[in-house]
Amino acid sequence: MILNVFTITELFIELVTLIVMVWAGILSLVLGLRWKPGASRAAKVAIEERSHLVLLMSVIVMGIRLVNWPFFYATLHSLIPDIEGAMCIFGVTQVERKLCLIAELLKPISFVLIGAWLVIHMLDERTETSVLMRSKLLLLSLTSAVVVGESLVDAMLILRTAPGTMVTCCTTVTDILDRSTAVVPQSLLGPQYSRILSYAYVVGNMAMILVLAVVRAFMHRSAAGTWRGPVCIMVFIAALLNAVIFVLTQIEVHAPVIMHLPYHRCLYCLWQYVPDTLLMYSFFVLATAGTGWAVAAERAGRTGETAQISRAYVRRLYGLSAFCLAGALIMNTVHLFMA
């Protein structure tokens, strides 16, 4: 293990997360199963009273976990000087490759789940009869399980990363001709895949912004909600596809131009050489996650008491997504023009 301010802070966060979320996950599952539509008012009041502390602690820890994603990469960056052969975060990820891959896959899943739970919690807090209490508690138990798994993987990764480990860095993977990010698009799109990706990136992001604006406007005018569920799901799927195009375009086309390194395609190096691109990526992550959180808000708003509140939340989330997508697109365009 490598000891520094970042690793100690990261391990402290993981320890607090494990203790609180194991307790919260178990208790929320028990309370959620007890909360039944036919239960008496006294029984529901008792469950609400027992759930206050677990919900309060969960909100605090979940909020910390939302900002822990960038801090995780800051921790990995702090380990670069202690890993032989590492020139960027990519080299650090090669020390415990499987653990780091699992950690990086869990991050976006955890991020979306945490945000969805917080949205449902805020919706329920605005109701008079806590109509979403059962859904909120059961989703909390699921989210807690994912967060606990993520924390365990993060802690194991930090503890098992030994100083002086010899690794190969990004140039041996991202700059070779048969890299997967080039082979797959080329096999599907042909030799001009990079140009097609560039056009798809611009058109896809502008189309997503337009779709978000149109759906948001229709939700404001239309009181009927039968069409909202399928549309919100389709918007989320479109956002995920747009994210795939975004990542491929960044690796294959934009990162080399922005870094002024025509043959280097490592996103970790992009963040290191051009730090403000981290803001661009944060905008894009928030935009994509926001469409997922909107699905959760729409599904939670199917009862009469939450219908109007839910529609307002979906509109705000789509407004946030459109704003963040536009911000990421503008930042990327400015970087390309300045390169």
Side-chain angles (χ1 to χ4, degrees):
M1 177 186 171
I2 300 170
L3 285 175
N4 59 37
V5 174
F6 288 93
T7 57
I8 293 172
T9 304
E10 182 72 17
L11 286 174
F12 176 75
I13 292 173
E14 307 308 340
L15 178 62
V16 172
T17 298
L18 283 171
I19 294 172
V20 174
M21 298 318 297
V22 167
W23 166 70
I26 295 173
L27 186 56
S28 62
L29 179 61
V30 172
L31 295 177
L33 293 176
R34 288 181 182 175
W35 185 284
K36 298 177 182 178
S40 65
R41 177 61 183 166
K44 290 184 176 180
V45 170
I47 293 173
E48 284 183 336
E49 290 176 351
R50 289 196 63 187
S51 66
H52 283 163
L53 180 60
V54 69
L55 292 174
L56 176 61
M57 294 298 295
S58 297
V59 168
I60 295 172
V61 174
M62 294 295 198
I64 294 172
R65 296 304 303 183
L66 281 178
V67 299
N68 188 61
W69 191 0
F71 187 79
F72 170 77
Y73 283 112
T75 302
L76 294 185
H77 185 269
S78 73
L79 304 179
I80 294 174
D82 298 292
I83 305 298
E84 294 291 334
M87 296 178 290
C88 67
I89 294 174
F90 183 91
V92 179
T93 65
Q94 301 307 294
V95 178
E96 291 288 342
R97 191 179 307 175
K98 292 182 180 179
L99 271 178
C100 199
L101 178 61
I102 295 171
E104 291 189 290
L105 289 175
L106 284 174
K107 295 297 177 190
I109 298 172
S110 174
F111 190 81
V112 172
L113 277 176
I114 290 171
W117 182 80
L118 289 172
V119 166
I120 293 176
H121 175 67
M122 288 188 291
L123 277 169
D124 191 54
E125 288 293 296
R126 295 189 61 182
T127 64
E128 295 181 0
T129 58
S130 299
V131 292
L132 300 177
M133 179 62 76
R134 180 179 171 86
S135 300
K136 179 171 65 173
L137 290 171
L138 293 179
L139 180 59
L140 176 58
S141 65
L142 171 63
T143 306
S144 297
V146 175
V147 170
V148 166
E150 179 196 0
S151 298
L152 284 171
V153 172
D154 289 356
M156 290 173 61
L157 179 63
I158 298 300
L159 292 171
R160 295 177 62 173
T161 301
T165 307
M166 180 66 70
V167 298
T168 55
C169 206
C170 48
T171 55
T172 60
V173 177
T174 62
D175 299 349
I176 58 177
L177 293 176
D178 59 345
R179 60 192 181 276
S180 58
T181 55
V183 172
V184 175
Q186 190 170 8
S187 63
L188 295 174
L189 304 175
Q192 299 296 320
Y193 73 95
S194 59
R195 181 175 296 180
I196 295 174
L197 281 176
S198 296
Y199 289 136
Y201 165 76
V202 176
V203 173
N205 277 271
M206 293 183 69
M208 277 299 304
I209 294 170
L210 179 61
V211 167
L212 289 167
V214 170
V215 174
R216 186 175 184 273
F218 269 99
M219 284 191 173
H220 179 64
R221 296 177 182 178
S222 173
T226 54
W227 57 273
R228 292 208 300 264
V231 167
C232 287
I233 293 173
M234 287 189 290
V235 170
F236 182 45
I237 293 172
L240 293 177
L241 293 174
N242 188 54
V244 173
I245 295 173
F246 172 79
V247 172
L248 285 175
T249 307
Q250 286 292 302
I251 294 172
E252 289 297 315
V253 185
H254 295 163
V257 175
I258 295 173
M259 288 189 291
H260 301 283
L261 298 171
Y263 303 104
H264 193 48
R265 297 173 175 84
C266 176
L267 295 185
Y268 298 121
C269 286
L270 174 65
W271 303 342
Q272 185 171 302
Y273 297 153
V274 192
D276 67 298
T277 55
L278 286 168
L279 179 60
M280 178 180 74
Y281 277 74
S282 298
F283 275 148
F284 194 87
V285 168
L286 278 174
T288 306
T291 60
W293 300 339
V295 173
E298 188 281 327
R299 292 189 65 84
R302 295 186 177 185
T303 61
E305 191 175 353
T306 58
Q308 288 295 112
I309 308 172
S310 168
R311 188 171 59 172
Y313 269 67
V314 173
R315 293 185 67 250
R316 290 172 189 168
L317 288 167
Y318 279 167
L320 172 68
S321 292
F323 173 81
C324 290
L325 270 183
L329 181 61
I330 291 170
M331 287 189 68
N332 193 70
T333 303
V334 170
H335 273 297
L336 291 175
F337 273 115
M338 293 178 62

